[in-house]
């Protein structure tokens, strides 16, 4: 997600959503209507990079958040899956805004915890299972280029120790309540669930403050 933040740059939307759609998305998220307009510029850039069809395709999304790298990344793949809430293989604008809302500094912590849990629930079972946990540990190590520093046995030991500490029910997997307890003890686990730049996105698009069609009453809500 750090790389996704770099995609914010000013340009003109070719066909921005209607004001009513802006208002609905603003009402459902922490974003103001002006901020939704700003996000549409980013969405336009991402959705037109390969196929200009008003959808963000998987290849575009992965390239954006990996800063142009074509290297496969499990975390990035899982992020795309969660952004693609309708499971159509592409990300629509509404899905894009609602998912990014989770990363807003003012989003509720409970939403961030739940989103992170689903991120690690690789097989959509409602649990973080041992093999899934191992895959995520390896993916995290690869992302930071540390995968060559630890042997497979060391990774297995990390996974076993984590399960021993977190799996209070002793069923070999982590449920959502156990995950919440783990995050409460280790808040850094959801640190990457917050993008500070989302608080000031209209600063990257100053023309929205002047040119927005939003009534003045909406600007100061």
């Amino acid at each position: 997600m750090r790389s996704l933040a770099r995609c914010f740059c000013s340009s003109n939307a070719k066909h921005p959503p209607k004001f009513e759609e802006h208002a609905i998305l603003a009402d459902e998220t922490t974003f103001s209507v002006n901020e939704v307009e700003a996000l549409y510029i980013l969405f336009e850039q991402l959705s037109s990079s390969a196929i200009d069809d008003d959808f963000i395709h998987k290849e575009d999304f992965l390239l954006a958040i990996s800063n142009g790298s074509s290297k496969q990344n499990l975390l990035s793949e899982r992020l795309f899956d969660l952004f693609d809430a309708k499971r159509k293989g592409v990300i629509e604008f509404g899905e894009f805004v609602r998912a990014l809302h989770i990363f807003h500094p003012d989003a509720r912590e409970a939403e961030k915890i739940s989103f992170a849990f689903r991120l690690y629930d690789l097989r959509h079972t409602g649990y973080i299972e041992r093999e899934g946990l191992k895959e995520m540990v390896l993916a995290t190590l690869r992302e930071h280029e540390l995968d060559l520093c630890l042997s497979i046995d060391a990774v297995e030991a990390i996974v076993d120790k984590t399960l021993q500490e977190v799996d209070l029910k002793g069923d070999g997997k982590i449920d959502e309540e156990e995950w919440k307890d783990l995050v409460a003890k280790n808040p850094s686990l959801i640190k990457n669930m917050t993008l500070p730049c989302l608080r000031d996105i209209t600063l990257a698009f100053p023309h929205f403050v002047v040119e927005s069609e939003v009534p003045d009453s909406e600007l100061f809500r």
Side-chain angles (χ1 to χ4, degrees):
M1 295 303 296
R2 292 193 300 270
S3 297
L4 182 58
R6 298 192 187 102
C7 294
F8 287 85
C9 58
S10 182
S11 66
N12 293 317
K14 291 182 292 185
H15 38 80
K18 296 179 182 178
F19 168 70
E20 290 78 11
E21 294 173 352
H22 285 168
I24 290 171
L25 290 170
D27 187 58
E28 294 179 0
T29 67
T30 53
F31 297 114
S32 68
V33 178
N34 278 321
E35 289 171 333
V36 172
E37 290 179 345
L39 287 175
Y40 188 73
I41 300 299
L42 174 60
F43 180 83
E44 273 283 293
Q45 293 171 348
L46 295 177
S47 65
S48 63
S49 59
I51 303 173
D52 193 359
D53 59 358
D54 291 326
F55 298 109
I56 295 177
H57 292 256
K58 190 171 189 176
E59 295 78 6
D60 301 325
F61 183 86
L62 297 181
L63 283 173
I65 65 177
S66 62
N67 199 27
S69 171
S70 59
K71 186 178 180 181
Q72 286 191 328
N73 185 306
L74 181 60
L75 288 168
S76 301
E77 296 261 357
R78 287 295 298 132
L79 273 175
F80 178 85
D81 290 342
L82 293 183
F83 271 67
D84 177 21
K86 296 179 181 178
R87 298 195 177 281
K88 291 184 176 181
V90 293
I91 300 171
E92 299 175 0
F93 180 60
E95 293 173 316
F96 184 69
V97 174
R98 291 182 180 94
L100 275 183
H101 148 77
I102 302 296
F103 295 85
H104 195 284
D106 295 336
R108 293 186 300 116
E109 184 178 84
E111 292 179 290
K112 297 178 184 292
I113 292 173
S114 177
F115 190 96
F117 180 81
R118 289 187 290 133
L119 185 68
Y120 297 133
D121 176 14
L122 299 186
R123 294 169 180 79
H124 313 288
T125 62
Y127 298 95
I128 299 175
E129 299 174 324
R130 190 186 188 285
E131 281 307 305
L133 180 61
K134 178 182 174 181
E135 288 181 43
M136 294 306 292
V137 169
L138 287 170
T140 302
L141 291 172
R142 290 190 194 104
E143 183 180 8
H144 294 88
E145 299 182 348
L146 297 173
D147 51 313
L148 298 179
C149 299
L150 292 175
S151 66
I152 292 297
D153 288 341
V155 173
E156 296 280 3
I158 291 173
V159 173
D160 288 337
K161 187 174 187 299
T162 300
L163 280 174
Q164 183 179 1
E165 294 177 354
V166 182
D167 177 22
L168 302 179
K169 297 182 177 68
D171 54 6
K173 51 193 177 185
I174 301 171
D175 62 27
E176 195 157 2
E177 289 303 314
E178 291 169 332
W179 172 251
K180 289 177 183 177
D181 290 340
L182 177 63
V183 173
K185 297 174 184 175
N186 303 275
S188 62
L189 287 172
I190 59 169
K191 181 179 179 180
N192 287 340
M193 296 301 301
T194 297
L195 291 174
C197 63
L198 290 178
R199 190 190 297 279
D200 301 311
I201 56 173
T202 52
L203 295 181
F205 307 91
H207 59 284
F208 279 127
V209 177
V210 178
E211 300 176 10
S212 173
E213 298 177 4
V214 182
D216 291 343
S217 58
E218 282 288 336
L219 296 177
F220 302 99
R221 66 185 189 132

